[in-house]
Amino acid sequence: MSLRSKIILILSAVVVVYASADLFLLQRTVATSFRNLERSLAARDVERVLASIDGQATALDNWVQVWAGMDSTRRYVSGADSNALAADLSDDLIASNGLHLLFLCDAEGNVLWSRIESADARERIRLRSFPSEQLLRGNPAMRLAMNDKGGAGLMETEQGILVVSAHPVSGRADEPAGYVLAGQFFDESVREAVSERAGVDFDIWSQALVGVEDERSTYGDQATGSELPIIDDRDDDTLRVYKAVEDVEKYMKIVVRAEVPRDVTAHGASAVNYALLSAPAIALVILFTLLKLLDRIVIRPLGTLTEHAVEVGQTDDTAAVSGIKRDDEIGTLALEFDRMLDKLRHSREQTVKTARLAGMSEIATGVLHNVGNVLNSVNVAATIANKKAHGLPTKDLARLTEVLKGQEDLGKFLAEDPRGRHLVPLLDELSSNFALEKEEMIQEMTSLRTGIEHMAELVRSQQTYAGTRGVFELADLGKQIDGALHICRQAYGGADEVEVVRELEDLDRVHVDKHKLMEILVNLIQNARQALRDSGRADMRLVIRLSRVEERFARIEVQDNGVGIPSKNLTAIFKHGFTTKKHGHGFGLHVSANAATEMGCSLSATSEGPGKGATFILDIPLELDTRRLAA
């Protein structure tokens, strides 16, 4: 994934997280605040409705106070003048004053004048609470009137809620001369007047509806049991607030329901929706702006620097420069990258020189190691040849020559002289000895010449470093193995307590570098003999096998029953300088592995563990691309 894609993905995730968190916070804070504010305003609205109802009751109470304070009313209720209110007590008195009920009583509660009309048709009706003969002291309205100051309140009747006011009419010695009672039903006109003053639509009903299965009963019951307003917010458009008020008997029996449009939450929802839409929009604008800025300031310069780095990696041209010149962190990065490449170029040149010298040293070390292996054989061969030369019976031949020089008659000497008769057998024996010594010396000189040629080839192989390669030629692998055994046998003076077993399959000749193959075989056989001697075994046994593996490889195995190899060292033994021998240098197997690789072969080792011997396996391809290897 590109850097641009990652940045877009990360910033998009940030926008999504931001929008989700914003939605959560708006719902938990802003929307909740609007709901709480709306509920608070709704509670105030129902209080305004109650205040407006109190205002309606106060207006009625004022009217009653005026009538209770008139002298004509006092004279009428006291019986002093039965015609005192003749002009006022007309049939339209109640309707003209917006009343539905009016009672004038004497001090004993006897009804002197009364009228009750229905709220809708203005027809005369009767109410159980207001009998037309006498209002008993237990009547709620009379209890209100018997108060020294009178008062007003709500009262439940069978015709609905009634706003009632009652005041005593002053008499003598502070005794009431009678009572004035008036009332208004909560008809449509009264409800509209109260609603207009409060600015809130409302409804009012009696607690007597409790038990009726509707929302008025449910929330009315809750309202009568709580001093706080009960709020119903199930409707999305209207908030209903319920509050119970005391009637004239001081019981919470009257329930007022205010209906408040949910404008606050509607505005709040609009604000939240606006915020929800604006927040992602703003985030997208910020995202787009950031992407543009990042693309211009970061992504494109980094892309240029990345392309430059890739080009340097592909072309290996450490002299190339990025060309980015800026005074910020990316410019510093590009500058340091160019400096790093310049340092890398100088370091590489130095490393190549060092590696060349190290390679020359390693090659020379390997050559010296292998020359040392062959030199033992050459030294033995030269020593044997020297001993043979010194052991020739030249003194006997010289004495025989002196004897023959002093004889004038050689025939007579050979026939008659006792010494002459032994001359022919002596010459025959000398001839046989000289012939035998000659043959042995020829063999040793041949071995010496072979060793010297191998050392010369090892020295010449150092020229590989300068660009030359070995020569691949057809070779009999069996003869190469025998030659390596002969060289190693001569290195030990020809006398060896190791049992050597040859298991050689007859194979066709194979293209190999003879000298590298000889180098490998000598190293493997020498290592096997050393492992056998270090084991201290009496039955030291060395097995050399030659076989064909599948159809593509010839395999040479050098197996011993010596000290064995720990499993952790099976690959480490081929590393340069690795050795477990006290006087070893760790060159032989490393050089052999390199030689095998150069010939297109593979060299490996197996062992069951310490004390269980080891087997070295050299796989030689039967068909080599000699042109590639010799190129």
Side-chain angles (χ1 to χ4, degrees):
M1 183 181 293
S2 64
L3 180 61
R4 181 181 284 103
S5 299
K6 290 181 179 179
I7 291 176
I8 293 175
L9 183 62
I10 293 172
L11 290 180
S12 300
V14 171
V15 169
V16 171
V17 172
Y18 167 73
S20 301
D22 187 56
L23 173 62
F24 176 78
L25 291 175
L26 288 174
Q27 292 292 344
R28 293 296 298 272
T29 57
V30 178
T32 302
S33 298
F34 276 105
R35 286 194 295 271
N36 293 335
L37 175 62
E38 184 178 63
R39 294 170 73 90
S40 176
L41 294 176
R44 294 181 185 178
D45 288 342
V46 76
E47 294 296 336
R48 285 204 302 270
V49 171
L50 296 177
S52 182
I53 293 174
D54 289 340
Q56 187 71 20
T58 299
L60 177 62
D61 190 58
N62 290 335
W63 188 89
V64 173
Q65 285 187 52
V66 171
W67 268 71
M70 294 190 302
D71 181 63
S72 56
T73 304
R74 180 182 58 77
R75 287 186 286 114
Y76 179 80
V77 297
S78 64
D81 186 359
S82 59
N83 294 319
L85 294 176
D88 296 322
L89 297 175
S90 60
D91 291 339
D92 61 349
L93 174 63
I94 296 178
S96 62
N97 287 278
L99 304 177
H100 296 99
L101 179 147
L102 180 60
F103 273 68
L104 298 176
C105 302
D106 60 14
E108 301 299 328
N110 296 313
V111 178
L112 303 177
W113 191 91
S114 67
R115 179 162 292 184
I116 304 174
E117 295 180 355
S118 63
D120 48 359
R122 285 288 174 177
E123 297 178 349
R124 285 198 172 194
I125 60 174
R126 296 178 63 87
L127 295 177
R128 290 191 300 270
S129 300
F130 293 91
S132 59
E133 294 81 13
Q134 184 181 23
L135 296 181
L136 301 178
R137 293 180 179 273
N139 184 279
M142 282 300 292
R143 287 204 302 269
L144 188 64
M146 291 178 181
N147 187 353
D148 292 340
K149 296 181 180 180
L154 299 178
M155 183 175 175
E156 179 186 350
T157 70
E158 61 268 27
Q159 292 294 322
I161 304 300
L162 182 70
V163 180
V164 63
S165 176
H167 277 271
V169 178
S170 299
R172 297 178 181 178
D174 295 331
E175 291 292 333
Y179 303 95
V180 179
L181 290 80
Q184 286 181 319
F185 284 115
F186 254 93
D187 61 359
E188 191 63 30
S189 61
V190 174
R191 184 178 288 105
E192 288 180 357
V194 172
S195 177
E196 184 177 354
R197 286 196 301 270
V200 180
D201 291 334
F202 77 99
D203 194 6
I204 186 170
W205 65 85
S206 168
Q207 192 183 16
L209 290 173
V210 174
V212 179
E213 294 297 331
D214 62 5
E215 58 90 14
R216 292 188 301 174
S217 172
T218 302
Y219 288 98
D221 190 39
Q222 295 181 23
T224 56
S226 172
E227 295 183 358
L228 298 176
I230 303 300
I231 299 176
D232 176 16
D233 57 358
R234 294 177 300 173
D235 194 336
D236 294 334
D237 299 325
T238 303
L239 197 68
R240 293 180 174 86
V241 187
Y242 301 85
K243 183 70 181 287
V245 296
E246 296 178 344
D247 60 2
V248 293
E249 295 184 284
K250 303 301 181 183
Y251 292 113
M252 297 174 64
K253 294 183 178 180
I254 309 302
V255 179
V256 176
R257 181 187 68 190
E259 296 184 353
V260 182
R262 306 196 68 175
D263 296 334
V264 175
T265 54
H267 290 304
S270 299
V272 170
N273 291 333
Y274 174 77
L276 291 177
L277 292 176
S278 61
I282 295 173
L284 288 176
V285 171
I286 296 174
L287 172 62
F288 180 77
T289 305
L290 284 176
L291 286 177
K292 285 295 184 182
L293 291 175
L294 287 173
D295 184 70
R296 181 175 180 180
I297 299 175
V298 178
I299 298 176
R300 274 190 281 177
L302 284 180
T304 301
L305 187 59
T306 302
E307 292 175 359
H308 174 60
V310 171
E311 181 181 359
V312 170
Q314 292 176 346
T315 61
D316 207 24
D317 183 11
T318 55
V321 295
S322 63
I324 299 176
K325 296 181 179 180
R326 295 170 48 152
D327 57 355
D328 55 11
E329 289 80 357
I330 295 180
T332 303
L333 177 62
L335 178 62
E336 292 302 321
F337 183 77
D338 291 338
R339 289 179 179 175
M340 180 184 67
L341 288 179
D342 185 63
K343 292 180 180 179
L344 179 62
R345 180 168 57 83
H346 292 293
S347 176
R348 176 182 290 179
E349 293 175 356
Q350 187 64 33
T351 301
V352 169
K353 293 179 182 179
T354 304
R356 184 182 296 274
L357 294 175
M360 293 174 65
S361 174
E362 182 178 346
I363 291 173
T365 302
V367 169
L368 291 175
H369 177 80
N370 291 302
V371 167
N373 286 336
V374 180
L375 191 60
N376 289 332
S377 174
V378 171
N379 184 45
V380 171
T383 301
I384 294 174
N386 183 55
K387 288 181 179 180
K388 294 291 184 183
H390 282 84
L392 290 175
T394 54
K395 292 182 179 180
D396 293 338
L397 186 60
R399 286 196 299 270
L400 179 59
T401 301
E402 291 295 328
V403 172
L404 292 177
K405 285 181 180 181
Q407 303 297 325
E408 296 180 355
D409 187 352
L410 185 59
K412 185 179 179 180
F413 176 75
L414 294 174
E416 298 179 358
D417 193 305
R419 293 176 300 169
R421 287 196 297 269
H422 293 286
L423 182 59
V424 174
L426 178 60
L427 289 173
D428 183 60
E429 183 178 355
L430 287 176
S431 175
S432 298
N433 287 337
F434 272 108
L436 179 61
E437 295 296 333
K438 175 184 177 182
E439 182 66 26
E440 291 179 353
M441 291 182 66
I442 290 173
Q443 290 179 0
E444 296 302 330
M445 295 305 295
T446 301
S447 177
L448 180 61
R449 184 186 63 190
T450 301
I452 292 174
E453 288 179 355
H454 185 51
M455 286 190 294
E457 181 59 29
L458 290 173
V459 174
R460 284 195 301 271
S461 68
Q462 189 174 5
Q463 296 175 353
T464 302
Y465 183 80
T468 61
R469 299 291 179 185
V471 177
F472 283 79
E473 52 188 318
L474 286 173
D476 186 331
L477 297 181
K479 290 184 178 180
Q480 293 296 311
I481 293 172
D482 289 338
L485 284 171
H486 181 68
I487 290 176
C488 293
R489 187 181 300 112
Q490 286 183 321
Y492 291 99
D496 195 359
E497 67 277 14
V498 177
E499 177 189 1
V500 179
V501 179
R502 297 167 62 257
E503 297 178 359
L504 308 181
E505 184 179 335
D506 188 14
L507 301 179
D508 295 336
R509 293 191 299 171
V510 180
H511 275 98
V512 293
D513 185 332
K514 290 183 178 180
H515 292 283
K516 280 188 172 59
L517 178 60
M518 184 65 67
E519 176 182 346
I520 295 171
L521 293 175
V522 169
N523 269 311
L524 296 182
I525 295 172
Q526 291 283 65
N527 281 349
R529 289 180 176 273
Q530 183 66 45
L532 289 169
R533 288 198 303 272
D534 292 344
S535 69
R537 299 174 63 103
D539 57 339
M540 294 184 292
R541 192 167 187 261
L542 173 63
V543 179
I544 299 181
R545 297 186 185 90
L546 172 62
S547 60
R548 185 167 186 159
V549 180
E550 299 175 350
E551 295 295 329
R552 297 183 300 148
F553 295 99
R555 173 170 291 179
I556 299 176
E557 298 179 61
V558 179
Q559 182 180 18
D560 64 77
N561 59 348
V563 294
I565 304 173
S567 58
K568 64 180 181 180
N569 294 340
L570 286 176
T571 55
I573 56 177
F574 297 105
K575 293 181 180 179
H576 180 265
F578 181 86
T579 182
T580 58
K581 302 175 183 178
K582 293 182 179 180
H583 303 291
H585 302 286
F587 299 141
L589 290 177
H590 174 68
V591 172
S592 298
N594 289 341
T597 301
E598 291 171 4
M599 289 196 303
C601 305
S602 65
L603 180 62
S604 60
T606 63
S607 175
E608 294 182 2
K612 297 183 178 181
T615 302
F616 286 84
I617 302 172
L618 177 66
D619 286 332
I620 304 172
L622 296 177
E623 295 182 3
L624 289 176
D625 187 355
T626 56
R627 290 175 298 175
R628 178 179 63 85
L629 294 171

